[in-house]
Amino acid sequence: MSRDIGGAVVALMTVALLGDSVVATTAPAGKVFTICVPDVYWKECKEMIEDSAVKGIPVSCVSGRDRYECIEKVGKKEADVVAVDPEDMYLAAKDNALASSAGYSVVEQVRTKEEPDAVYRYEAVAVIHKDLNISNVQGLRGLKSCHTGVGRNVGYKIPITKLTAMGVLQNIHDPLYSARENELRAFSSLFSKGCLVGTWSPDPAINRRLKETYSNMCALCEKPEICDYPDIYSGYEGALRCLAHNGGEVAWTKVIYVKRFFGLPVGVTPAVPTSENPAEFRYFCPDGSKVPIDATTKPCTWAARPWQGYMTNGGAAKGGNVEALQQELTDLGKLGEQEKADWWKDIMLLDKKTLAVPAPVVLPEDHLKNSKYLDVIERNSGAVGKIARWCVWSESALDKCRALGRASFSRDVRPKLECARSGTDQDSCLNALKEGKTDLVVLEGGSVLRAIRDFRATPIIAESYGPGATKLGERPAVAVVKKSSSINGLGDLRGKRSCHSGYKGNFAGWTAPIHALKKAGLIGSEEEAADFFAGSCAPGALPNSKLCQQCIGSVAAGDDRVRDATKCAPTSAEAFRGGAGALACLTADKGDVAFLPLTALSQTDEKEKDTEVDVGRQAGSKSSDFELLCPQGGRAPIDEWSRCNLGVEPPRVVVSSAEKDANALEELTHGTLAASSLYSKRPDLLHLFGAWGGIANSLFKDDAQGLVSVDKSWDSWNDWQNTQQEYGLA
């Protein structure tokens, strides 16, 4: 749900206590600019408004699901500005539906205090020994090469992009190999040895195979057999250390670190002498020439990474608004630094080394082209035009899948994901898979066995949920009561209050407990559940029903109207939604029993990041405060869940075609895991695991924490099918 605050607040006189004095300020007249912030930073945006109102800086906020949606909201004129990375600028420039009407432009940049006047965030260079016999880029063949790390800009993406365009890296579009393997093969063939540390694939088996196959690219590392961080010959300075002290002949790094390594001045920072001698080295230029490394000679660069910045639309950039917006962003940056505020870092993308700097207004695409970075984002090292085709059967899943495809392509995931809807059920997509018309389908775990038998499918990836799930990603559904409770069996629940992690379609919160109550003869149908309990919170049920009367809506909003509008919503807007929410409901004494996945209980002792459930954490609850209610009667400690659960839910599984060869399946696995590992860590960029457009469990389960690869040890397909049939799962 989108939320908008601040417009009314900043138009009023704001009173705040500063030390012992009271300061009253009135916001200046004129346009109040609206910043779009990802939902995860909503609380911080309210703090930003409060902080800025004291200083008379008019600003308001609108929330977006994530940065991807914020870019769309700015394009649709629903917000005025959003803080973005270069990859987000690429999304704006290439949004065919919005780009022309939006009038996107970058009006302010995030620059370093060390180099506030630099045109680019950093510039990529190649450094060689001064006496190296090389006169053109073809002379790189056979050299020993030092890199910052796999997947990084100056040490990997930029040299791959530029050397491929120059014809130096060859056979990089072989359709038999993944994009990542094509790049590694090309490097391994071009250079005799190298140091290229990092995770070559998020799949451990693929990562291991690649490092064994192309081991020469680990030979110059401190620990060649590991070829991963930490390594003294990795990173910006490590690549230069590899060049100077470990037999390297060319190092790929960025200018600022070359200057630091050799004791030269950097921007406003004076020279700090080191033991390294710059006279022994040279910059190697794309045209084959060599440039001295000293305080006065301009380095020759291969490409540059543009600054992060703040992007607006044509409406906000009209007339004198640009200068006003720039002034506001600059002032907010200064204020955030003074306050050392969380919003300064998360919303403004600033830290103690950076500041917001007004810059000439530029189109996002031009910002990328000027730095020679556009082709770095767009590089495709797999077969030309190769795509991974996903099939879905709902509009919500289609929208989410397409967003995943666009966003992940901008952030280096290959092959490119393309999505299509086929019919209204999974069989339509499985038929498309069988006929070779699609590559990937996401299924409930209970459907995998049938997909294997009837549609020639093969499972490659499954959801993971963290502590509390089994090694195969299964989640036990449990009924939880407080240790102090007198409840000792399902029959004791009649007339009690219940908290549910979700409603229909939610296994632990609804399907499993309803199945248990029916099996025990306590209710005859699902419809009787509402009257079996005295009152419930089952987010997703009808808001005015008994199943919603214990829900409380959005606690963070601090507004009764918002609370009423979000009460019992099937999204994170409802504080008692999900496993953590159901437990919060129980802890807050809004219920006597909570139905939730074991994962929520197992993770309750970890730091809770979702401020929406703080209402249930007032007493500092921990897992040891609770016990499990067993369906056969009695109670059990949490660690005895295997004998005391309401059922075990299989994860969702990504399947491909068993007709594909091993390389093709590996490529699909690598690409999908690369996307999920990125967005599981950065939901502010794209909320891959969570409700989408108000629809729960779209594409993946909302409470999944990531994806993992499936191997031959996975052997529960029969059990999962039985669970699906017994519980009537879709």
Side-chain angles (χ1 to χ4, degrees), residues 5-7 9-10 44-54 57 59-61 343:
I5 61 172
V9 175
V10 296
E44 292 173 27
C45 203
K46 293 197 296 181
E47 293 169 355
M48 179 178 71
I49 288 173
E50 293 167 2
D51 291 345
S52 62
V54 174
I57 305 171
V59 63
S60 72
C61 288
W343 58 261

Side-chain angles (χ1 to χ4, degrees), residues 304-475:
R305 179 165 174 80
W307 294 110
Q308 296 167 293
Y310 305 98
M311 192 165 64
T312 187
N313 55 49
K318 284 182 179 177
N321 283 342
V322 167
E323 290 77 11
L325 178 56
Q326 289 174 329
Q327 186 62 55
E328 178 172 295
L329 293 168
T330 301
D331 290 345
L332 282 173
K334 292 176 181 177
L335 175 63
E337 183 166 15
Q338 291 171 6
E339 301 290 332
K340 295 182 174 59
D342 288 340
W343 58 261
W344 171 63
K345 171 174 63 74
D346 294 329
I347 295 174
M348 302 290 291
L349 306 184
L350 295 168
D351 59 37
K352 62 183 180 180
K353 295 182 179 180
T354 59
L355 70 169
V357 176
V361 177
V362 62
L363 298 177
E365 186 164 3
D366 290 344
H367 190 57
L368 300 174
K369 284 181 176 177
N370 292 343
S371 61
K372 297 183 284 188
Y373 194 71
L374 183 66
D375 60 340
V376 176
I377 292 179
E378 291 186 327
R379 85 182 196 287
N380 192 353
S381 303
V384 177
K386 183 186 283 189
I387 57 174
R389 301 166 298 175
W390 287 56
C391 184
V392 298
W393 54 90
S394 75
E395 280 302 310
S396 174
L398 179 62
D399 186 56
K400 190 176 198 176
C401 184
R402 285 176 171 168
L404 173 63
R406 293 189 66 233
S408 59
F409 180 83
S410 76
R411 292 184 182 271
D412 207 32
V413 173
R414 300 294 184 274
K416 186 176 184 179
L417 310 181
E418 289 195 359
C419 310
R421 181 177 178 181
S422 179
T424 57
D425 58 32
Q426 70 176 20
D427 277 13
S428 300
C429 281
L430 287 173
N431 275 314
L433 186 70
K434 186 177 181 179
E435 295 167 4
K437 296 177 180 177
T438 194
D439 302 306
L440 296 165
V441 183
V442 184
L443 303 175
E444 297 294 345
S447 298
V448 173
L449 183 61
R450 179 170 167 266
I452 293 171
R453 289 175 176 172
D454 298 347
F455 298 93
R456 295 288 296 148
T458 186
I460 59 171
I461 289 167
E463 293 173 331
S464 62
Y465 297 92
T470 71
K471 66 177 183 178
L472 299 186
E474 302 151 316
R475 287 181 299 160

Side-chain angles (χ1 to χ4, degrees), residues 12 186 213 237:
L12 303 173
T213 305
E237 185 176 325

